[in-house]
Amino acid sequence: MGWFSRKSEKEKLQEKYKKLVDEAYKLSHTDRKASDLKTAEADALIKKIEAMD
């Protein structure tokens, strides 16, 4: 992997998915409703990623 290698669209979506899951986990301790919304957003994103295959 070089210094200026670009991420594919799938890699960008996977990174975004991981962030959403982490945020949902953190929110689950304080705000269940917000956590559920982040989880739903992550689920929609993972379906999009799977459709790319």
Side-chain angles (χ1 to χ4, degrees), residues 1-45:
M1 188 177 252
W3 287 90
F4 298 105
S5 63
R6 295 183 185 207
K7 292 184 181 179
S8 69
E9 186 66 26
K10 186 175 179 180
E11 289 172 327
K12 289 178 187 177
L13 291 175
Q14 288 171 333
E15 191 173 298
K16 186 174 180 181
Y17 172 78
K18 184 177 180 344
K19 279 185 184 178
L20 286 171
V21 171
D22 289 343
E23 285 180 41
Y25 175 74
K26 290 176 186 174
L27 285 169
S28 70
H29 299 296
T30 56
D31 188 356
R32 183 62 189 194
K33 190 173 185 178
S35 174
D36 289 346
L37 290 172
K38 290 286 183 186
T39 302
E41 192 177 338
D43 287 342
L45 193 59

